[in-house]
Amino acid sequence: AQSVTQPDIHITVSEGASLELRCNYSYGATPYLFWYVQSPGQGLQLLLKYFSGDTLVQGIKGFEAEFKRSQSSFNLRKPSVHWSDAAEYFCAAYGGATNKLIFGTGTLLAVQP
Amino acid sequence: GAGVSQSPRYKVAKRGQDVALRCDPISGHVSLFWYQQALGQGPEFLTYFQNEAQLDKSGLPSDRFFAERPEGSVSTLKIQRTQQEDSAVYLCASSPAQGTEAFFGQGTRLTVV
């Protein structure tokens, strides 16, 4: 079955430190991949997406993600985290015979001063 | 409009009451999705429309849930005889075409008491 896995439920980093949020997918073929961010009481905002081509994707707010086919991964990174990055991050995938955008369970990011 | 608009933002329903949640997608967007997000969880797919056609309703949890998009723009998600387990945030998203980026509304938080 198609699925998206985010192994880390909760991550805490210090402001200014680097960040990597993990995402793995299980699909028959390479799906379209997305990272969304959700602040409390808000909808989902797209950070970046991967459809094809360059495996390192740049997004908004200084985020980037790298697609690794061999690992079925699409990890999100940021070199220096800001306090305003505290939010929940969702990895999602779209592909195969379905029209569904399937989400992982999310990673809640806390930023320490 | 500028984005996906959902109304109401908050809804409190007594158990057994019927509710209707509205979604105004971005003008011209062909695809429309409904998701259910329980507290602390990722969004779960409910149903998908392409224009006025409901192409996938496999995620609707029971026959108490019904969605429509009669003119291919505004959509309504109706829940009959609400139960406590229906309490969640209901997210609507639209996209210009199948397989492209989905834009999310801020959601409707439904609380069944």
Side-chain angles (χ1 to χ4, degrees):
Chain A
Q2 298 165 336
S3 65
V4 176
T5 302
Q6 293 181 249
D8 305 306
I9 297 173
H10 187 223
I11 284 182
T12 300
V13 299
S14 298
E15 191 168 16
S18 63
L19 170 71
E20 182 169 25
L21 303 182
R22 296 183 291 167
C23 172
N24 294 93
Y25 63 89
S26 175
Y27 274 74
T30 300
Y32 297 161
L33 295 160
F34 306 83
W35 275 99
Y36 285 86
V37 61
Q38 187 177 40
S39 298
Q42 300 298 310
L44 294 158
Q45 181 183 20
L46 181 71
L47 288 176
L48 46 78
K49 59 191 177 187
Y50 173 77
F51 286 177
S52 64
D54 193 346
T55 56
L56 186 61
V57 180
Q58 301 299 318
I60 63 171
K61 304 185 179 185
F63 286 92
E64 66 179 26
E66 185 172 13
F67 168 67
K68 292 186 177 179
R69 185 189 306 274
S70 61
Q71 299 177 17
S72 297
S73 70
F74 189 57
N75 294 351
L76 182 72
R77 301 194 295 245
K78 186 170 186 178
S80 178
V81 170
H82 188 261
W83 64 266
S84 61
D85 293 324
E88 187 143 29
Y89 291 80
F90 292 96
C91 182
Y94 182 106
T98 177
N99 294 310
K100 306 173 189 177
L101 186 62
I102 295 177
F103 286 84
T105 50
T107 298
L108 185 62
L109 175 66
V111 180
Q112 286 182 331
Chain B
V4 179
S5 178
Q6 294 186 245
S7 61
R9 286 292 312 279
Y10 304 92
K11 176 69 178 178
V12 178
K14 292 184 178 179
R15 190 168 54 183
Q17 187 178 357
D18 296 349
V19 298
L21 312 180
R22 177 187 170 104
C23 173
D24 282 86
I26 294 172
S27 178
H29 277 195
V30 169
S31 299
L32 185 144
F33 305 83
W34 283 99
Y35 285 82
Q36 181 190 59
Q37 187 176 21
L39 190 64
Q41 301 295 315
E44 295 283 345
F45 172 83
L46 293 177
T47 187
Y48 161 69
F49 290 86
Q50 187 168 315
N51 295 307
E52 69 279 4
Q54 189 175 19
L55 299 186
D56 189 340
K57 55 182 181 179
S58 62
L60 296 177
S62 78
D63 58 8
R64 296 186 295 105
F65 287 70
F66 172 76
E68 60 184 5
R69 194 187 185 197
E71 297 178 359
S73 56
V74 172
S75 178
T76 303
L77 176 66
K78 298 180 180 177
I79 309 173
Q80 297 176 324
R81 306 181 303 281
T82 52
Q83 304 294 317
Q84 280 193 316
E85 61 262 28
D86 300 335
S87 296
V89 175
Y90 291 85
L91 295 167
C92 177
S94 69
S95 66
Q98 181 177 331
T100 58
E101 172 188 344
F103 296 82
F104 282 81
Q106 291 190 302
T108 295
R109 181 177 295 279
L110 173 65
T111 303
V112 182
V113 298

